[in-house]
């Protein structure tokens, strides 16, 4: 089993490469720094999985100020959990989630917007669905009755 440990700044390039390989090829260092170093709630709690010196898993909780029961508190949003495609199905996702839960450091509650791939891992760990979020999209710059506007209306029908 790969080693589960806290992220260090030396892991930046390897984490970005992993996110590009296993999540989104457009992910870059600027986005990583914006998400995990410059947030209004402080630095993210980040965990990595390392196997023979190579980062093969990463996950983070972004601290966010939030109102809960009429008071300001610190919430945490799980974001971009990723496991190298060659290491999937080995329990790394669950190991990283357990590490993050144990190292919340002042975060009072956690939330996320799990996709179909990650939702089962969260549900197995006792998370529950609190509701569904419907996306809303606004097409900017489209001319009235243009091809772009018609495509937008056909793709994102009104509720």
């Amino acid at each position: 089993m790969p080693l589960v440990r806290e992220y260090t700044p030396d892991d930046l390039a390897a984490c970005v490469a992993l996110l590009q390989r296993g999540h989104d090829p457009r992910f870059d260092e600027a986005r990583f720094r914006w998400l995990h170093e410059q947030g209004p709630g402080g630095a993210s709690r980040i965990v990595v999985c390392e196997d023979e010196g190579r980062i093969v898993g990463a996950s983070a909780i972004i601290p966010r100020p939030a109102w809960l029961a009429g008071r300001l508190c610190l919430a945490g949003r799980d974001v971009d959990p990723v496991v190298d495609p060659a290491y999937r199905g080995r329990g790394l996702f669950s190991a990283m989630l357990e590490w993050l839960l144990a190292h919340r450091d002042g975060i009072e509650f956690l939330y996320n917007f799990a996709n179909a791939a990650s939702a089962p891992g969260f549900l197995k760990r006792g998370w529950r669905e609190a509701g569904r979020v419907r996306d809303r999209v606004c097409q900017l710059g489209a001319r009235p009755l243009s091809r772009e506007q018609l495509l937008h209306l056909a793709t994102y029908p009104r509720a």
Side-chain angles (χ1 to χ4, degrees):
M1 176 71 133
L3 171 70
V4 178
R5 63 170 177 79
E6 186 174 11
Y7 166 89
T8 70
D10 292 340
D11 299 323
L12 175 66
C15 284
V16 170
L18 173 63
L19 284 158
Q20 290 170 341
R21 198 168 58 249
H23 184 59
D24 183 347
R26 298 167 297 171
F27 203 102
D28 62 13
E29 183 177 324
R31 179 175 180 215
F32 189 94
R33 288 187 183 281
W34 174 78
L35 275 172
H36 301 300
E37 295 174 5
Q38 301 166 359
S44 295
R45 293 8 174 218
I46 306 173
V47 63
V48 297
C49 287
E50 181 181 347
D51 189 32
E52 298 180 7
R54 181 174 177 233
I55 302 296
V56 296
S59 189
I61 293 176
I62 299 172
R64 307 295 267 176
W67 286 97
L68 177 65
R71 68 178 178 83
L72 187 62
C73 65
L74 190 60
R77 178 176 178 229
D78 166 77
V79 66
D80 293 333
V82 63
V83 174
D84 186 288
Y87 284 79
R88 291 182 182 159
R90 298 185 191 184
L92 272 62
F93 174 83
S94 293
M96 290 188 299
L97 183 56
E98 290 297 322
W99 189 96
L100 287 168
L101 290 172
H103 295 88
R104 294 176 304 163
D105 301 324
I107 294 174
E108 295 183 55
F109 72 93
L110 302 173
Y111 67 99
N112 71 12
F113 302 100
N115 60 29
S118 64
F122 287 106
L123 294 172
K124 263 197 280 189
R125 292 284 174 261
W127 291 50
R128 65 181 175 79
E129 185 176 305
R132 298 236 173 219
V133 176
R134 290 187 58 140
D135 288 339
R136 298 287 186 222
V137 177
C138 176
Q139 177 70 36
L140 300 176
R143 295 178 321 275
L145 299 177
S146 67
R147 180 178 182 270
E148 292 82 10
Q149 185 189 36
L150 294 173
L151 276 172
H152 170 74
L153 291 173
T155 307
Y156 298 99
R158 294 176 189 250

